[in-house]
C-alpha cells in the first residue's frame, strides 16, 4: 500500500484480515465476463470459460422482454424489489425471484453438454453463450406454454426458483441428448413434444409454494431444498412421464 507508515499498514492488514468476506460467485463470474469483453477470451483460464459463458447467457435471458426469464433473475448489480416498490406496482412481486448464482450453477451441466456435442473449437465464448441462452430459452418457453399460470404469478410457485431451476435444467440436459440422437432441432415446438407426456409439467399445484391465507397447500416440488433434493425432484419429474 502506498503512502502508509508501518503502523498504518499493520492497522489496514488487521482490518482486512479480520473483516474480509468472500465475494459472491455471480459477481466473480461477471467480473471475468467483463475481463473477457475488454481483453479477449484468452484473458481467463480455459477451465473458467464456462463461468463466462453462463454469466453472459444469464444476462441475455434476463434481458429478453418476450422470454420467460425477463427480469426474473436477481443479477449481481441488482437486488430484490422492495416492499415499497411492490406496493406501487404489484407485478414486481413476480420479478427477481431467483439469484443469478443459482441460475448460473444450474446452467453448468447444459453448458458442458453443448460444449462437448454442439460446439466448434473456433467458437468464441460469446457464441457459446448465445447458443446456450437460445437453447435454454426455447426449453423454458415450452414449459411456460404448458403451465402459463406458474409464470404469470411466478412468486407463488417454485418452478422459477431454485427447485425448478435446478431440476428442470437437469431435465433439459437429458432432453437435449435424446433430441440430438433423434435429430430433433432444439426449438420450443420440439421441446413441447418431448415434455407433452410429463404429468408434473401439466400440474401447477405440484409447483405451488403454498398460501395459508388462501388455504392452498404447498405442492410436492416445494419440499425439495438441497442439491440432493433437486436431483430427487428431477427423477420424480422424469418418472411422471
Amino acid at each position: 500500500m502506498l503512502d502508509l507508515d508501518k503502523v498504518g499498514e499493520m492497522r489496514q492488514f488487521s482490518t482486512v484480515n479480520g473483516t474480509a468476506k468472500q465475494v459472491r460467485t455471480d459477481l466473480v463470474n461477471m467480473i471475468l465476463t467483463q475481463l473477457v469483453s475488454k481483453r479477449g477470451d484468452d484473458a481467463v483460464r480455459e477451465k473458467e470459460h464456462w463461468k463466462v459463458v453462463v454469466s453472459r447467457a444469464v444476462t441475455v435471458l434476463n434481458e429478453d422482454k418476450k422470454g420467460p426469464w425477463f427480469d426474473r433473475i436477481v443479477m449481481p448489480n441488482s437486488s430484490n424489489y422492495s416492499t415499497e416498490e411492490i406496493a406501487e406496482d404489484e407485478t414486481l412481486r413476480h420479478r427477481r425471484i431467483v439469484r443469478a448464482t443459482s441460475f448460473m450453477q444450474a446452467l453448468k451441466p447444459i453448458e458442458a453438454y453443448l460444449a462437448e456435442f454442439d460446439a466448434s473449437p473456433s467458437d468464441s465464448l460469446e457464441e457459446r453463450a448465445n447458443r446456450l441462452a437460445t437453447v435454454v430459452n426455447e426449453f423454458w418457453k415450452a414449459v411456460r406454454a404448458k403451465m402459463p399460470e406458474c409464470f404469470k404469478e411466478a412468486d407463488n410457485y417454485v418452478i422459477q426458483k431454485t427447485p425448478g431451476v435446478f431440476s428442470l435444467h437437469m431435465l433439459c440436459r437429458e432432453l437435449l441428448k435424446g433430441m440430438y440422437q433423434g435429430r430433433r432441432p432444439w426449438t420450443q415446438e420440439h421441446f413441447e413434444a418431448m415434455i407433452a407426456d410429463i404429468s408434473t409439467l401439466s400440474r401447477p399445484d405440484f409447483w405451488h409454494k403454498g398460501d395459508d391465507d388462501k388455504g392452498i397447500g404447498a405442492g410436492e416440488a416445494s419440499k425439495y431444498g438441497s442439491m440432493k433434493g433437486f436431483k430427487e425432484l428431477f427423477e420424480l419429474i422424469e418418472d411422471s412421464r
Side-chain angles (χ1 to χ4, degrees), residues 2-163:
L2 301 176
D3 300 324
L4 281 179
D5 59 20
K6 201 67 176 180
V7 174
E9 287 185 359
M10 289 189 290
R11 183 179 294 111
Q12 292 299 327
F13 174 82
S14 177
T15 299
V16 172
N17 189 58
T19 62
K21 294 183 179 180
Q22 185 175 1
V23 180
R24 290 204 325 263
T25 302
D26 57 353
L27 181 57
V28 172
N29 291 353
M30 285 296 182
I31 291 173
L32 292 175
T33 301
Q34 291 180 19
L35 183 61
V36 166
S37 296
K38 293 180 179 180
R39 298 188 180 181
D41 293 355
D42 294 334
V44 300
R45 293 175 296 177
E46 185 174 350
K47 70 177 184 178
E48 293 185 319
H49 281 182
W50 76 270
K51 297 179 181 180
V52 176
V53 173
V54 299
S55 179
R56 280 181 166 166
V58 166
T59 299
V60 171
L61 291 167
N62 195 58
E63 293 178 352
D64 181 359
K65 293 185 177 180
K66 295 183 179 180
W69 288 101
F70 174 64
D71 200 24
R72 298 289 169 90
I73 304 168
V74 184
M75 302 299 286
N77 60 345
S78 65
S79 59
N80 299 89
Y81 287 111
S82 66
T83 303
E84 292 74 20
E85 288 174 313
I86 294 174
E88 293 181 6
D89 183 356
E90 181 62 24
T91 63
L92 297 182
R93 183 182 303 278
H94 305 292
R95 304 277 189 89
R96 298 185 185 177
I97 58 175
V98 65
R99 295 209 67 87
T101 302
S102 298
F103 205 99
M104 291 176 186
Q105 192 64 34
L107 280 177
K108 186 176 180 180
I110 301 177
E111 196 284 326
Y113 177 80
L114 293 178
E116 182 176 359
F117 292 100
D118 192 50
S120 166
S122 62
D123 288 346
S124 67
L125 297 185
E126 183 175 4
E127 289 172 327
R128 285 169 56 182
N130 289 335
R131 179 169 54 246
L132 174 62
T134 297
V135 170
V136 171
N137 211 25
E138 292 296 299
F139 168 75
W140 280 99
K141 284 180 180 179
V143 177
R144 181 176 63 179
K146 292 207 68 174
M147 295 185 296
E149 53 269 68
C150 292
F151 291 78
K152 290 178 181 177
E153 297 184 349
D155 189 50
N156 294 335
Y157 300 86
V158 300
I159 197 165
Q160 288 193 286
K161 299 182 181 181
T162 49

